[in-house]
Amino acid sequence: MPTMADVARSAGVSVATVSHVLNGTRPVLPHTRQAVLDAIDALGYTPNTLARSLVTSRTRSIGLAVSAISNPYFTEILQGVEAAALRAGYSLLIADPHDDPGHERKVVQLLHERRVDGLIVAPSARPQELVGYLRRHAVPTVFLDRVIDADPTDGSAVGAGAGAAPDQEAPWYDQVCADGARPTARLVTHLAGLGHHRIGLVAGLPGLSTTSDRVSGYHDGLNAAGLDLDERLLVSGNSEASGAEQATAALLALPEPPTALVTANNAMTIGALRALRRHGLSVPDDLALCCFDDFAWADLFSPRLTAIAQPSRELGARAVQVLLDRLDEPRRPTRTVRLPCAFVHRTSCGCPEEPGGSEEPGHTTSSTPSEKGTAS
């Protein structure tokens, strides 16, 4: 097989210059870089990544651990992670923790043992074992979608990769997520503005930050609309279709059932629709419906689903960039990046179809991406 020295001879440059072109370790003049690339192409040279990792202590690989990869939301996040990693010259190793704390720690350990340079993880509702492992081994990590606002193990600080200073106002690790509270409040106030006084929420799995954010937004929306909280209208669907189907059935069995419903993720939207169909109810004539999470076929339902659209691909891409920043500067302050969501106005809320079936994707529930770190 052709070697780096063969490429250097063919291009008329030094081996060091070939290395700089391949690894991006130093700027190279455009015509010199092109000569090296032409030589690589002509010779069919393939870099020996194993040998390079032994020299640099880097494998140029990222481990991704997210549950429910079959979920369209996480599938789009995966696409964002993969595209950003590829652009940066990194390969991707993927594992599904199945939202099980014990399995989560095992798959993260397996990824770490494959010598990935860093990890992107959507943590479970009980991440004590996960965080304990990451802390013991000082693994550069970005928490994605679900964030951790406090050390879940024993109250001591958790360093982000290496050397982050303890700070109660700082996130324990670098984190990337979407805003959850304000978008949920937007759905509630929209339904209240349509005249609904009994608005139910099918919330997600207890213990997840995404669940607590959306429950908080539900409370905020009721307060903003001047509506009292009825605890019976707040139920848990455990972030899955079957749980949401049961939870929605329980709401419909109340002496005074809700006239409008918010579902807190796309899987639970499916479960809620199944329950409504089983009870012979139609949307929005019998019950108005809004959902958190937009998906490709949300506008194929009849009626079309009013939804909060998360920037899923951007979340994945931003997580990669935050991790690469950590790898380049291990002692930088940790940060939490929150991206805004968009309110997509369709007809399941009870609003009439707009001329031409238009939507309002430009209506956002938060203004600009925010970052919180030890320096703030």
Side-chain angles (χ1 to χ4, degrees):
M1 295 179 63
T3 65
M4 192 180 294
D6 296 328
V7 173
R9 280 192 296 271
S10 177
V13 299
S14 67
V15 172
T17 298
V18 176
S19 176
H20 291 315
V21 171
L22 290 172
N23 299 314
T25 48
R26 196 180 71 185
V28 177
L29 291 173
H31 69 275
T32 303
R33 174 183 174 82
Q34 190 58 53
V36 171
L37 295 176
D38 289 343
I40 289 172
D41 186 55
L43 295 173
Y45 170 74
T46 302
N48 188 330
T49 55
L50 178 58
R52 184 168 59 187
S53 68
L54 291 173
V55 173
T56 63
S57 298
R58 291 280 188 92
T59 61
R60 296 194 72 81
S61 62
I62 293 172
L64 175 66
V66 295
S67 293
I69 293 175
S70 60
N71 185 316
Y73 170 65
F74 279 113
T75 300
E76 291 192 2
I77 282 183
L78 170 59
Q79 292 170 350
V81 170
E82 182 181 41
L86 184 61
R87 284 195 300 270
Y90 280 75
S91 58
L92 196 62
L93 280 69
I94 306 171
D96 189 338
H98 301 295
D99 271 335
D100 176 80
H103 188 63
E104 172 180 66
R105 203 274 303 160
K106 290 178 182 177
V107 300
V108 163
Q109 179 178 342
L110 288 173
L111 290 171
H112 182 224
E113 289 174 351
R114 296 293 298 271
R115 296 296 186 264
V116 294
D117 294 336
L119 291 168
I120 297 173
V121 182
S124 69
R126 301 190 307 279
Q128 289 87 346
E129 289 188 58
L130 167 69
V131 172
Y133 181 87
L134 296 174
R135 179 171 54 189
R136 286 193 302 274
H137 297 277
V139 185
T141 302
V142 174
F143 289 140
L144 174 63
D145 183 59
R146 306 157 177 180
V147 301
I148 299 175
D149 293 327
D151 180 5
T153 55
D154 59 10
S156 60
V158 178
D167 185 340
Q168 290 184 346
E169 296 301 320
W172 298 108
Y173 274 85
D174 292 313
Q175 310 187 108
V176 176
C177 63
D179 185 10
R182 283 175 288 184
T184 307
R186 173 68 188 274
L187 294 179
V188 173
T189 55
H190 178 68
L191 290 168
L194 296 175
H196 295 282
H197 296 157
R198 294 185 60 75
I199 302 170
L201 173 68
V202 181
L205 185 68
L208 296 179
S209 66
T210 48
T211 298
S212 58
D213 282 352
R214 293 165 200 178
V215 169
S216 176
Y218 173 68
H219 290 161
D220 292 344
L222 292 177
N223 288 334
L227 299 177
D228 293 330
L229 171 66
D230 184 343
E231 293 286 355
R232 296 173 298 174
L233 297 182
L234 173 55
V235 294
S236 175
N238 289 321
S239 299
E240 59 184 15
S242 60
E245 185 173 358
Q246 296 174 17
T248 302
L251 288 174
L252 298 176
L254 291 172
E256 292 183 80
T259 61
L261 188 63
V262 175
T263 52
N265 77 2
N266 53 23
M268 291 190 291
T269 300
I270 300 301
L273 288 170
R274 286 175 181 165
L276 294 173
R277 183 179 63 184
R278 186 155 48 87
H279 284 75
L281 301 177
S282 65
V283 175
D285 295 336
D286 298 311
L287 186 140
L289 177 67
C290 291
C291 56
F292 204 105
D293 280 344
D294 197 23
F295 36 94
W297 27 274
D299 64 346
L300 298 180
F301 284 93
S302 181
R304 300 158 67 238
L305 297 178
T306 295
I308 294 297
Q310 298 192 75
S312 48
R313 294 194 185 193
E314 186 181 352
L315 285 168
R318 186 65 66 89
V320 171
Q321 186 56 59
V322 170
L323 179 59
L324 296 181
D325 291 344
R326 172 64 52 199
L327 295 174
D328 289 341
E329 191 181 347
R331 299 187 68 86
R332 68 178 293 145
T334 56
R335 53 180 166 160
T336 292
V337 179
R338 292 183 183 272
L339 300 182
C341 299
F343 174 78
V344 185
H345 189 196
R346 299 189 180 106
T347 57
S348 64
C349 54
C351 292
E353 186 77 51
E354 296 181 1
S358 62
E359 302 171 4
E360 298 177 16
H363 285 207
T364 58
T365 53
S366 56
S367 54
T368 58
S370 65
E371 297 187 9
K372 178 181 178 183
T374 55
S376 62

